[in-house]
Amino acid sequence: MPQTEMAVAQGNPGGAGTISLATLIDYSLQRTHHELSILSELLPRKTDMDRKIEIFQFANRTRQLFVRLLALVKWATSASKVDKCTDICNFLEQQSFFFVDTADQLAKVARETLVTARLPSFSLPCAIDVLTTGTYPRLPTCIRDKIVPPDPITPQEKKQTLDRLNQVIQYRLVSSELPPQMRRLKIENGRVKFLVEHEFEVTLTLMGDSPTIPWRLLDIDILVEDHETGDGKSLVHSLQIHYIHQLAQNRLLDNDKPLHDLYKVLHSFCQSLQLEVLHSQTQRLIRNRLGDSVRVEEYTLSKSLQISYWRDQLKKDKDGTGVFSAVFKLSVHVCDDDDGKPLQISHSPPMSPDDSNKVGLAIKSDQLSIEKLLMQTIEVRTHIKLKEFAKEMQRYVDEKCEVRDMPVALHVPLLTPSMSSEILRISIDIQRGSYLTSVPCLTDHSVVKEIEDCLNADRRGLEKYFTKLRMQLCLQRCEKSVQLLPAQTFSSLPIVNIHGHPVERLGRYKLFIKVPKQSNFFVVVELVEKKPRSVEYKNYVLETTPCTADGTEDDLAEDVGVKLYLNAGKFIEVDNYSTTHGPFTKIFEDYPTTQLDSLTRKRKLFLGGADLDEPDTKKVKGSPYFVPELAYLLVSCEERIPFVYLGDELNRQDVPHQGIQVDEEGICLVLGILDFPECGGCSKEISDALKKQLLSCKFRILSKPLHWVVEFLFTSSPLDTSSYKESGNLQRVTLNLDLSGDNVQKTVTDLKDEWSAMGHLYSAVQEFVELYNDPRTGLQLQCDVRSYNYRRLTLAYGPTRSSIVTVQWRSDGNFHIMLGTSGQASTGNPHIVMATQLQADLNTSKSLAELVTVLNETWSPMTSISKLSTATVMGVTVNNKQPVSTFTILPQSSTHVRIAFRGVYCLDVHFKSGNIVAVRDGAYSLFDTSKAVEGFNPAQGLKAFLNLFYDESVIGSHARRRSTTDDDNPPSPIGMDTMDIGLYQNPSVGSPAVRQRQDGAGGFRFQNPMTPPSNPHTPASPGVSRIPAGVNPSPSTLMGNPSPGTLLTGGSPGNPHLHVPSPSSFVPAPSPQSLGIHMQSPAGSFISPSMVEGGSPYPSSSLAMPSPNPRNWPGSPSVQGPSPASHHMVASPGHPALHSPQTQHKDSDHSKASVVSPPSRMLPQRSWAASVPTLLSHEAFSNLLTPNTMPTSSVAIAGMQPLPASPIERFFGCVYMRRHLSRQIQSDDSLTALPFNEPGVNVFKGESLQYKVSMNQANLQTLQMKAFPTQDCKDPWAPEELQILEKFFELKVAGPPYKINALTAFSRLLGAPTLILKDCIQIMRMELMPDRNLKWSVQWCLTIPPGTGHIINAPAGTPAIVINLVKGKMVLMLQLTRLNLSLPIGKEPPSLIIPLFYDIGSNTVTHLDIRNTTGQQQQVMPNTPHSQTISAVNMMLKRYMDMNPNSAHCVIFPALQELMVNLVLPVQNLPHVGH
């Protein structure tokens, strides 16, 4: 945009000048901003219409201005050529002017100046001064006076001048008259400053010391402020101040009293300004908040402002014309008498002088707020109005009405006494002036609203509304009194039969309160008005019954709906005084009361004298808001009603009681039982003895949680215990019963059951006490009595008394035992696994002494059994996804336990007296050793292994000579080669039972499938005439005994009539007997000569598994008939051919009985050594089952520590691995089985080696492999290679945890070609004897380790070695571990898994690619540690293959050695196992 400079053409004086466009725009903006500022200051003080007019005019002016400016700008942008021409013309005119002016000036000089011009004489003095001094000192002084300013005065002179001026001003003020309002002044710096607070401040001075010099006005400051609407800005514009300044200055000239005129001018201006401020505040207040409630009645500028308020409160004119006028007015005006006074305040109608002084007679300039003035006025008016109204309200109430609080309100108490929240509060509406009523505590404000409407109207019927409010307050008190109780309140109930019922006659004001925890009972409160102005409470108790809308109560009908209605029953009025002053009040009166009960009198009448003096009762301090009688009545009903129901039920079940009474200490209600019925199942003597022990039995109620507390008080316990709570002369036993009003019958039944339980336990304890106190039995040395409280008995047993057994009789009619530990027990209770069997034994024998004996004599072997690992492990079977338990404990009875190893092998353990344990192979049938138990396989060499733990010094005469015909290596029975055969899935609980038959025949009954009958025609008893041909007779038949049951005289720790149960039975047998319990020693049967006769594998003791005698075995399978086991509904799997001659009933009773047995697994008809029990001491049995490690020389060489395992686990593991090896040899085409006569040995051969695998005969806990070159072997084998192969098998393959997949992978290596096998042996050597000079060590991965899913697509635990000689391919997996790294303590060195693929035909080794199930190569994320590791291994293997092509030797080990020497990976990329 072109910009021009303003210039005036000198040649054209009348020509127009120019101005810069930027300056013009700046001027326009400044003008617009100035006008806008003036509008923002002046508009708030004008009316709405004036503001709109001013804004419109300002907008119009500004618009026209900027339109012109816009036109000028548009013209300027398009006038560049005109500007150039204008500049040229101006330049030419200026040059022409210069030429003409030059000619004129020259002509003037020639004609006028040069005519008279003369050459002056030379000024020699000046020349001399200049040449000599270098200056010219002869210039005129006027030049200095005109140009050089004079020197300023000094600060001292200035101070003297101002002090002098202060004296002049002070003299002028003293000699003149001052207005009284301008007496506050200050003289300093030659000025005087007058201050009139909240109005103005002026500064004057004098221009001289003459008395006639007028005052000079220097400054004016208006102090009037509006803090509400002014926003802190000045109310007067600077132009207005300038005008006032000129006006006041003119008044100061030629005036006798200039200061008086100055004050009048400024004071009148300030008052008018104050009125304007008040008027603007009023307008804003009306517009924003108060609306029509306030109105400006009159506003005279600079004179007065009149405001009316409470406009809704209108009154009729006295003449009845119906004209309404405003009642209350407020006026602010200027004082007419004295102009110097501030603004005055007046009221209409007039106030008293005291009330006017509260508001104020004049406006306070420092509080210039019309709202505050109105609030003060209304507050004073409210006080006046409420005080007048209080006198009128006083006749409706008894208490004094008070006007108090802030905001002020009239407090009218309707109740005596009353709480502050119950008082009726009457206040005045600030805006309207009407009455407002409130009661803080009420939730229903309808009555309060009616009172408010009545007060604002003609006030008729006010007494009626007060009475209604008084009743509501009383009902509110009742509700608040019970709100802390779990009680619900109702104003009405859905009662169906209310017509004609006493409830219908109740008054209008009533309240129904549901009794806590008693859903069918209600306390009814009725309020009755009493004169004068009081309320009476009447209490009732209502009994209801839930029903439907038609009144149906029973649930027998099919179409009964939801019971939302009630049937009202008994309705009794309650006397408040009798209820709260003694326990004699009855809630329900079903029979006529006596005269004494019907009277309501004080306590002294019941004591028998009316003239007894009693002290005055103390007044209990409490809140009038709380109705104590009602709360007490609710609590009393809540507590008494359950006792009433309980007493009725006790009477119904013939249990005598004392009725409801107060406790001796007066704390609660009690109900005492006088006598108990006979204990069911106990003798009368036991019941009478228990009743003699019982002193009292009382019922109480415990509220949190709500239940019955039954307290039994017994004399001292018949059994001394170590509990300090049971050491006194009295023993207190408490019982908690459910408190349910709907099922009181269950409460009484539970009480009787608990009494019967105490009787049964007391009966067992009585028998136990006699034996326990007898020192001959030794029971005190076997256990300690920890506690006996008539409900349960707690005994501590074991060597350190750390095991606990608790015995308790329960309502199901049986004893129950709970096992645990106490103190510093190292392990849990070992008998927990056979708790069911011990419990069944106790319920059969009812003998605590027998239970203690069994627990003590079986504690040591059960502790040893508990050391076995029962955790499930993965990857130890062919199906590596199926978890298998290492050991499974199967209790058969309290003295018989089966221990299964991985569901394949089983140990049958019998606990004997004298610290002896009988152990046999549990895979053999108990009654026919030619049959194997379904699911188990006989373990070869078990007898020899058990004999390693045989302790001759402990067993002594119990030893038995092994028969020469016994075989310790049974073959695999028919059907036993299936690996997936598991244990039975549904074992039953029970023991064989026998039923007497008429024909003398008897039979065994066994549970399927643990010991199935070997043949439907195979007898289990020695009747020779009944034994079919071709069946091996029972061992007991060879001894000529009529029945095995007659031989059980002392060989078993059970009682003399107890039979060792079936293998599938889980019900415990009775415990061993001790002295004083009429048991015989088992030694006689064990050392009987009949044990060695005839070559029988079974002795004539309990180990022969005799036929059971009749016993009360729960869950025992038996024949149908009156057998005790028949109560458990267990069908007998027996067959008539199995009946023993011991029984006396006929076979015809069971001729139709049959059983479906699994296919029998027949063994050769031989006497197997493992079927005969081996006697071990407890110490030897503990050594057999305790996990440990086997330090061997091979382990020390390898520097490895094997996993800890028990000897029995190592033995079974070796047998298990050798059994799998036999199958692997048969299934692998590269291995060939060789015949060998020695049992327990596997002999087979590969391509160039022959292998012999057998157990270490020194300990029978490890597998050994011997390798020999075959006769046709062409490649020589070094002895060191064969030793490494044997050691690797023993340490890495055939050891714990005995993984058969590892054995499968190793057997594949044994069948590999000779060159491959030799390289593999070299890798084994590097693993067994690592070289620390290498960077990496190597370990074989016989199975795929977990966490390698990204390396190879196979589940963990799968054999990691695969050889396919047909296709010429081999896959193996190795683990490399970094050596010689300085790592922190506790951090393992990094390692990586490398799967290798070996092509036998091309003799190349590569890294195995990752392939998914479809055979396509998976994508490996680049730049990851795993991808970088794969790349490094691939590159090194490829480089080695390129450098060694067509090698004549196998390249597996050389390639691996190259990796171990030269493989280098970044430290951050070193992965761990599985990466």
Side-chain angles (χ1 to χ4, degrees):
M1 181 181 297
Q3 183 175 355
T4 60
E5 297 293 337
M6 184 177 64
V8 180
Q10 297 180 1
N12 188 11
T18 61
I19 187 173
S20 173
L21 183 60
T23 305
L24 182 61
I25 295 174
D26 190 17
Y27 286 166
S28 301
L29 294 177
Q30 290 181 2
R31 175 185 172 183
T32 303
H33 180 265
H34 178 67
E35 292 179 354
L36 187 60
S37 300
I38 294 175
L39 281 178
S40 63
E41 295 177 354
L42 297 181
L43 286 183
R45 300 172 179 81
K46 296 184 179 182
T47 61
D48 184 62
M49 183 57 68
D50 294 339
R51 287 199 297 270
K52 293 179 179 178
I53 294 172
E54 291 292 337
I55 293 173
F56 177 77
Q57 292 176 354
F58 166 75
N60 189 28
R61 292 194 306 270
T62 306
R63 180 176 179 274
Q64 292 178 0
L65 174 62
F66 281 94
V67 166
R68 296 189 189 101
L69 185 60
L70 179 61
L72 181 61
V73 171
K74 290 183 178 180
W75 176 85
T77 56
S78 62
S80 59
K81 295 181 180 181
V82 177
D83 292 340
K84 292 180 181 180
C85 294
T86 303
D87 294 341
I88 293 172
C89 292
N90 292 335
F91 177 75
L92 293 176
E93 288 179 359
Q94 187 177 10
Q95 294 299 322
S96 176
F97 173 76
F98 289 157
F99 287 129
V100 173
D101 184 67
T102 302
D104 292 342
Q105 292 296 332
L106 291 175
K108 183 179 180 181
V109 170
R111 294 174 184 176
E112 297 178 1
T113 306
L114 295 179
V115 174
T116 61
R118 298 290 185 271
L119 182 64
S121 59
F122 296 103
S123 180
L124 295 177
C126 294
I128 294 172
D129 290 336
V130 172
L131 293 175
T132 58
T133 62
T135 182
Y136 182 68
R138 301 178 186 273
L139 289 176
T141 60
C142 63
I143 297 177
R144 184 185 60 189
D145 297 338
K146 295 293 184 180
I147 298 177
V148 179
D151 295 333
I153 63 174
T154 61
Q156 184 66 24
E157 295 175 344
K158 185 186 295 186
K159 184 176 183 303
Q160 292 177 359
T161 304
L162 292 178
D163 291 342
R164 176 58 183 164
L165 188 56
N166 289 341
Q167 295 176 358
V168 172
I169 293 173
Q170 187 175 4
Y171 172 77
R172 176 69 67 87
L173 293 177
V174 172
S175 60
S176 61
E177 183 180 356
L178 294 177
Q181 292 83 4
M182 296 178 63
R183 297 298 176 88
R184 294 186 59 180
L185 55 88
K186 183 178 182 181
I187 303 174
E188 62 179 358
N189 297 329
R191 302 179 183 184
V192 57
K193 184 181 293 185
F194 294 96
L195 175 64
V196 179
E197 290 186 351
H198 306 295
E199 287 191 11
F200 60 88
E201 183 182 41
V202 295
T203 303
L204 304 176
T205 187
L206 293 174
M207 304 306 293
D209 55 357
S210 174
T212 60
I213 296 176
W215 289 96
R216 173 65 62 89
L217 182 59
L218 299 179
D219 187 20
I220 299 176
D221 188 8
I222 303 299
L223 303 181
V224 179
E225 295 179 352
D226 184 5
H227 296 285
E228 296 183 1
T229 60
D231 296 331
K233 296 181 180 179
S234 176
L235 301 179
V236 186
H237 195 265
S238 58
L239 297 178
Q240 294 174 324
I241 296 293
H242 181 65
Y243 173 77
I244 296 173
H245 189 282
Q246 293 178 353
L247 179 61
Q249 184 62 51
N250 293 333
R251 293 293 185 95
L252 293 176
L253 302 176
D254 298 333
N255 197 327
D256 296 337
K257 294 182 178 181
L259 296 182
H260 284 270
D261 287 346
L262 176 63
Y263 173 75
K264 289 179 181 180
V265 171
L266 296 179
H267 176 66
S268 60
F269 175 78
C270 291
Q271 283 192 336
S272 63
L273 184 59
Q274 290 175 354
L275 285 175
E276 180 65 24
V277 169
L278 294 176
H279 179 261
S280 62
Q281 290 179 356
T282 305
Q283 293 293 340
R284 182 175 180 179
L285 195 62
I286 294 172
R287 182 173 60 254
N288 295 340
R289 295 167 57 190
L290 299 182
D292 297 337
S293 299
V294 176
R295 190 174 72 179
V296 179
E297 296 292 338
E298 181 183 359
Y299 174 57
T300 303
L301 191 63
S302 303
K303 291 295 183 182
S304 63
L305 173 64
Q306 189 176 25
I307 303 172
S308 62
Y309 58 94
W310 284 0
R311 292 183 52 79
D312 293 344
Q313 289 296 309
L314 304 179
K315 63 180 180 179
K316 277 190 176 182
D317 201 352
K318 293 182 179 180
D319 56 3
T321 59
V323 179
F324 291 84
S325 59
V327 179
F328 301 99
K329 294 181 180 180
L330 172 65
S331 178
V332 181
H333 55 88
V334 178
C335 182
D336 298 333
D337 300 334
D338 188 358
D339 295 339
K341 290 185 178 181
L343 295 176
Q344 302 296 305
I345 302 174
S346 60
H347 304 274
S348 177
M351 294 183 183
S352 64
D354 295 336
D355 295 333
S356 298
N357 290 330
K358 293 179 181 179
V359 180
L361 299 177
I363 193 73
K364 296 180 180 179
S365 300
D366 58 340
Q367 297 179 356
L368 199 60
S369 174
I370 193 65
E371 185 177 2
K372 292 182 179 179
L373 182 60
L374 276 174
M375 291 301 105
Q376 292 176 358
T377 304
I378 290 174
E379 182 181 355
V380 174
R381 287 287 186 188
T382 301
H383 272 278
I384 297 172
K385 192 173 183 179
L386 290 179
K387 286 181 180 179
E388 295 175 354
F389 187 67
K391 298 177 182 178
E392 183 180 353
M393 288 291 102
Q394 194 64 51
R395 60 189 180 91
Y396 295 105
V397 295
D398 296 334
E399 297 290 333
K400 182 180 179 181
C401 299
E402 298 179 353
V403 178
R404 53 185 172 86
D405 289 348
M406 184 59 67
V408 64
L410 174 62
H411 294 251
V412 182
L414 298 178
L415 297 176
T416 305
S418 62
M419 298 288 291
S420 60
S421 59
E422 296 177 331
I423 293 178
L424 175 63
R425 298 183 181 182
I426 303 175
S427 58
I428 305 297
D429 191 348
I430 295 177
Q431 295 186 10
R432 297 176 177 82
S434 59
Y435 290 103
L436 298 177
T437 58
S438 65
V439 178
C441 68
L442 280 184
T443 56
D444 184 9
H445 301 283
S446 58
V447 181
V448 179
K449 182 63 177 176
E450 292 174 355
I451 294 177
E452 180 179 324
D453 296 340
C454 182
L455 292 178
N456 292 321
D458 54 1
R459 302 179 185 175
R460 294 180 182 178
L462 189 59
E463 179 70 24
K464 178 182 67 175
Y465 293 124
F466 280 172
T467 302
K468 186 176 180 180
L469 178 59
R470 192 178 290 111
M471 292 295 183
Q472 281 200 357
L473 289 175
C474 292
L475 289 177
Q476 184 84 3
R477 283 186 175 185
C478 295
E479 293 180 3
K480 295 297 183 180
S481 298
V482 299
Q483 69 178 358
L484 296 181
L485 300 175
Q488 296 179 341
T489 58
F490 307 92
S491 58
S492 61
L493 293 178
I495 299 177
V496 177
N497 59 338
I498 193 173
H499 299 291
H501 197 274
V503 179
E504 187 180 13
R505 297 191 293 269
L506 293 176
R508 177 183 177 185
Y509 304 101
K510 57 183 177 294
L511 184 66
F512 296 89
I513 307 173
K514 182 182 289 187
V515 178
K517 301 179 180 61
Q518 303 296 330
S519 59
N520 296 335
F521 290 88
F522 293 87
V523 172
V524 185
V525 182
E526 181 187 12
L527 302 182
V528 180
E529 182 182 5
K530 292 180 64 177
K531 301 297 181 179
R533 306 185 188 97
S534 61
V535 180
E536 179 183 4
Y537 294 88
K538 290 187 177 181
N539 299 325
Y540 305 88
V541 177
L542 173 65
E543 182 182 13
T544 60
T545 305
C547 65
T548 57
D550 56 356
T552 305
E553 296 182 3
D554 56 1
D555 296 334
L556 299 179
E558 296 181 358
D559 299 332
V560 176
V562 181
K563 296 181 179 181
L564 300 177
Y565 299 89
L566 299 174
N567 259 336
K570 300 176 183 179
F571 186 73
I572 305 298
E573 182 177 359
V574 180
D575 185 86
N576 294 334
Y577 184 84
S578 301
T579 303
T580 57
H581 289 77
F584 305 101
T585 302
K586 293 185 179 351
I587 298 179
F588 300 115
E589 298 180 356
D590 297 333
Y591 49 86
T593 58
T594 61
Q595 182 179 4
L596 183 62
D597 295 334
S598 62
L599 294 178
T600 302
R601 57 185 70 184
K602 292 186 178 180
R603 181 175 52 200
K604 58 184 179 181
L605 297 181
F606 294 102
L607 295 176
D611 54 350
L612 295 177
D613 295 333
E614 290 185 351
D616 296 336
T617 57
K618 296 182 179 179
K619 294 183 179 180
V620 180
K621 294 183 180 180
S623 171
Y625 206 70
F626 182 72
V627 184
E629 295 82 3
L630 178 60
Y632 181 82
L633 177 60
L634 278 174
V635 176
S636 179
C637 291
E638 176 189 359
E639 188 175 7
R640 284 177 175 272
I641 290 174
F643 280 103
V644 173
Y645 279 127
L646 179 62
D648 293 343
E649 185 62 29
L650 289 173
N651 292 332
R652 194 176 296 111
Q653 297 193 22
D654 298 330
V655 178
H657 61 87
Q658 297 176 347
I660 306 175
Q661 296 180 351
V662 180
D663 196 5
E664 299 89 11
E665 300 178 358
I667 298 176
C668 59
L669 298 178
V670 296
L671 189 145
I673 305 298
L674 296 177
D675 192 12
F676 280 98
E678 299 293 335
C679 298
C682 297
S683 62
K684 189 176 184 304
E685 292 78 8
I686 293 297
S687 299
D688 294 341
L690 184 60
K691 290 179 182 179
K692 290 181 181 179
Q693 293 289 113
L694 179 64
L695 298 180
S696 66
C697 176
K698 294 182 179 181
F699 274 86
R700 292 181 177 87
I701 293 180
L702 185 63
S703 58
K704 292 183 180 181
L706 187 65
H707 60 271
W708 290 109
V709 177
V710 185
E711 180 190 50
F712 294 90
L713 194 62
F714 292 93
T715 58
S716 58
S717 174
L719 191 61
D720 295 334
T721 65
S722 59
S723 175
Y724 72 93
K725 295 182 180 179
E726 302 168 1
S727 59
N729 296 328
L730 297 178
Q731 187 169 351
R732 195 180 308 273
V733 180
T734 58
L735 171 66
N736 296 331
L737 299 177
D738 293 336
L739 197 159
S740 176
D742 300 334
N743 195 5
V744 185
Q745 182 179 2
K746 180 180 181 299
T747 302
V748 179
T749 303
D750 292 344
L751 176 65
K752 296 172 67 176
D753 291 343
E754 191 66 28
W755 176 255
S756 298
M758 291 182 180
H760 284 280
L761 183 60
Y762 185 76
S763 175
V765 169
Q766 284 289 87
E767 180 183 354
F768 178 73
V769 169
E770 297 178 1
L771 298 176
Y772 185 78
N773 295 331
D774 191 351
R776 295 174 299 175
T777 62
L779 288 178
Q780 295 184 1
L781 301 178
Q782 299 181 19
C783 68
D784 292 339
V785 182
R786 292 291 177 87
S787 173
Y788 172 63
N789 58 0
Y790 290 89
R791 294 185 61 198
R792 60 177 58 89
L793 173 66
T794 303
L795 302 174
Y797 66 95
T800 60
R801 302 296 189 265
S802 60
S803 299
I804 296 296
V805 58
T806 301
V807 182
Q808 183 180 8
W809 181 275
R810 293 186 181 175
S811 58
D812 58 356
N814 291 313
F815 282 106
H816 289 259
I817 66 173
M818 292 162 285
L819 299 169
T821 58
S822 67
Q824 300 295 330
S826 58
T827 60
N829 195 309
H831 289 96
I832 291 179
V833 295
M834 58 168 51
T836 304
Q837 288 73 19
L838 292 171
Q839 182 173 302
D841 261 358
L842 179 61
N843 287 313
T844 302
S845 63
K846 301 293 189 299
S847 174
L848 295 174
E850 185 176 336
L851 174 65
V852 171
T853 304
V854 170
L855 291 175
N856 276 279
E857 294 197 1
T858 60
W859 186 88
S860 178
M862 287 304 299
T863 301
S864 301
I865 292 176
S866 64
K867 298 177 182 178
L868 294 176
S869 174
T870 58
T872 57
V873 292
M874 302 283 290
V876 296
T877 61
V878 175
N879 186 5
N880 48 33
K881 294 184 178 180
Q882 179 181 1
V884 178
S885 297
T886 304
F887 285 99
T888 304
I889 311 302
L890 305 175
Q892 308 296 298
S893 70
S894 59
T895 58
H896 181 194
V897 174
R898 284 177 176 266
I899 304 174
F901 176 78
R902 296 186 181 178
V904 178
Y905 303 108
C906 179
L907 276 185
D908 210 4
V909 181
H910 289 265
F911 307 135
K912 303 297 180 180
S913 60
N915 297 332
I916 296 176
V917 175
V919 184
R920 63 183 294 273
D921 194 338
Y924 296 104
S925 174
L926 287 172
F927 305 102
D928 193 347
T929 58
S930 64
K931 300 177 181 63
V933 177
E934 186 68 26
F936 290 130
N937 297 329
Q940 295 184 359
L942 177 61
K943 186 68 175 180
F945 173 72
L946 294 178
N947 287 333
L948 296 177
F949 296 88
Y950 187 83
D951 191 352
E952 185 70 27
S953 61
V954 176
I955 303 303
S957 59
H958 294 281
R960 171 185 176 271
R961 182 181 61 84
R962 179 174 172 178
S963 174
T964 57
T965 61
D966 290 349
D967 194 346
D968 199 16
N969 297 279
S972 177
I974 301 173
M976 293 178 61
D977 291 338
T978 303
M979 288 296 295
D980 296 334
I981 295 177
L983 296 179
Y984 56 94
Q985 300 297 327
N986 187 19
S988 62
V989 178
S991 173
V994 177
R995 181 181 170 208
Q996 301 292 334
R997 301 189 342 182
Q998 296 178 358
D999 58 354
F1004 292 109
R1005 302 297 181 187
F1006 306 104
Q1007 188 71 10
N1008 192 20
M1010 285 294 291
T1011 313
S1014 59
N1015 196 308
H1017 302 287
T1018 300
S1021 63
V1024 178
S1025 61
R1026 300 175 58 122
I1027 299 178
V1031 178
N1032 185 33
S1034 173
S1036 60
T1037 308
L1038 304 177
M1039 295 184 290
N1041 295 326
S1043 174
T1046 60
L1047 301 177
L1048 189 60
T1049 58
S1052 173
N1055 66 31
H1057 303 289
L1058 183 61
H1059 153 69
V1060 178
S1062 168
S1064 64
S1065 173
F1066 284 82
V1067 178
S1071 60
Q1073 302 290 337
S1074 181
L1075 293 176
I1077 317 180
H1078 311 291
M1079 293 188 62
Q1080 301 178 7
S1081 173
S1085 59
F1086 278 110
I1087 61 177
S1088 174
S1090 61
M1091 295 178 60
V1092 298
E1093 294 177 359
S1096 172
Y1098 297 100
S1100 60
S1101 65
S1102 63
L1103 300 181
M1105 304 303 166
S1107 174
N1109 285 338
R1111 285 187 59 83
N1112 187 15
W1113 281 80
S1116 172
S1118 65
V1119 296
Q1120 301 177 2
S1123 173
S1126 63
H1127 297 289
H1128 298 270
M1129 303 302 178
V1130 179
S1132 172
H1135 191 274
L1138 300 176
H1139 295 169
S1140 171
Q1142 180 185 5
T1143 58
Q1144 298 177 1
H1145 293 282
K1146 294 182 179 180
D1147 290 337
S1148 60
D1149 296 341
H1150 309 285
S1151 60
K1152 299 181 181 180
S1154 62
V1155 66
V1156 180
S1157 301
S1160 62
R1161 306 193 301 164
M1162 305 296 294
L1163 294 171
Q1165 297 292 330
R1166 301 181 62 181
S1167 178
W1168 306 109
S1171 64
V1172 180
T1174 301
L1175 300 182
L1176 300 177
S1177 63
H1178 285 181
E1179 183 180 358
F1181 188 69
S1182 176
N1183 296 333
L1184 178 67
L1185 303 184
T1186 301
N1188 56 16
T1189 57
M1190 289 189 60
T1192 60
S1193 58
S1194 58
V1195 174
I1197 293 175
M1200 305 174 187
Q1201 290 294 333
L1203 296 176
S1206 61
I1208 190 64
E1209 180 180 358
R1210 286 193 287 266
F1211 171 76
F1212 278 138
C1214 293
V1215 176
Y1216 183 66
M1217 297 287 282
R1218 195 176 60 79
R1219 177 172 174 267
H1220 176 72
L1221 180 61
S1222 300
R1223 296 183 178 182
Q1224 183 63 27
I1225 294 171
Q1226 296 175 3
S1227 61
D1228 197 343
D1229 296 336
S1230 61
L1231 298 177
T1232 304
L1234 300 178
F1236 197 75
N1237 295 329
E1238 184 179 351
V1241 178
N1242 296 75
V1243 180
F1244 57 97
K1245 70 174 183 177
E1247 185 180 71
S1248 60
L1249 289 178
Q1250 179 177 340
Y1251 308 98
K1252 175 183 177 182
V1253 178
S1254 62
M1255 296 186 67
N1256 187 353
Q1257 297 300 320
N1259 51 27
L1260 296 179
Q1261 298 181 30
T1262 57
L1263 277 180
Q1264 293 179 343
M1265 184 182 72
K1266 297 297 182 180
F1268 309 95
T1270 58
Q1271 296 178 357
D1272 54 351
C1273 177
K1274 298 179 180 180
D1275 297 331
W1277 284 89
E1280 182 184 1
E1281 294 178 336
L1282 300 180
Q1283 291 179 3
I1284 291 174
L1285 183 63
E1286 295 169 359
K1287 292 299 181 182
F1288 187 84
F1289 173 79
E1290 182 179 353
L1291 295 177
K1292 304 293 291 186
V1293 181
Y1298 301 104
K1299 295 183 178 181
I1300 60 175
N1301 284 338
L1303 180 61
T1304 300
F1306 183 76
S1307 63
R1308 293 173 180 174
L1309 288 178
L1310 298 181
T1314 303
L1315 295 180
I1316 298 177
L1317 180 58
K1318 287 191 175 184
D1319 271 26
C1320 294
I1321 292 176
Q1322 293 301 319
I1323 299 175
M1324 297 176 189
R1325 179 181 61 82
M1326 297 297 294
E1327 180 177 356
L1328 296 178
M1329 295 174 287
D1331 188 357
R1332 291 291 175 178
N1333 296 324
L1334 302 179
K1335 293 181 180 180
W1336 299 85
S1337 64
V1338 64
Q1339 292 87 29
W1340 275 96
C1341 293
L1342 298 178
T1343 59
I1344 296 178
T1348 56
H1350 61 286
I1351 296 178
I1352 188 168
N1353 190 13
T1358 305
I1361 298 175
V1362 179
I1363 301 176
N1364 192 335
L1365 298 179
V1366 177
K1367 296 183 179 181
K1369 297 179 180 180
M1370 177 180 178
V1371 176
L1372 65 156
M1373 186 174 290
L1374 301 173
Q1375 176 179 341
L1376 297 182
T1377 304
R1378 194 71 167 86
L1379 297 176
N1380 304 323
L1381 288 180
S1382 298
L1383 297 175
I1385 298 176
K1387 185 177 181 180
E1388 297 181 357
S1391 59
L1392 64 150
I1393 302 295
I1394 300 179
L1396 297 178
F1397 175 75
Y1398 176 62
D1399 192 338
I1400 301 177
S1402 61
N1403 194 19
T1404 58
V1405 176
T1406 58
H1407 187 276
L1408 181 64
D1409 294 334
I1410 304 174
R1411 297 191 177 273
N1412 54 18
T1413 56
T1414 61
Q1416 298 177 355
Q1417 187 170 356
Q1418 297 179 355
Q1419 295 294 330
V1420 180
M1421 297 299 294
N1423 298 325
T1424 61
H1426 176 60
S1427 62
Q1428 295 177 4
T1429 301
I1430 293 177
S1431 300
V1433 174
N1434 282 330
M1435 290 177 59
M1436 185 165 292
L1437 291 177
K1438 184 178 180 180
R1439 183 177 59 187
Y1440 179 79
M1441 292 294 104
D1442 294 340
M1443 296 177 61
N1444 299 275
N1446 302 324
S1447 176
H1449 301 281
C1450 181
V1451 297
I1452 295 178
F1453 179 70
L1456 177 63
Q1457 195 172 18
E1458 179 70 16
L1459 291 177
M1460 297 172 64
V1461 174
N1462 299 321
L1463 179 61
V1464 176
L1465 295 177
V1467 177
Q1468 61 272 19
N1469 292 340
L1470 288 179
H1472 290 277
V1473 176
H1475 288 250

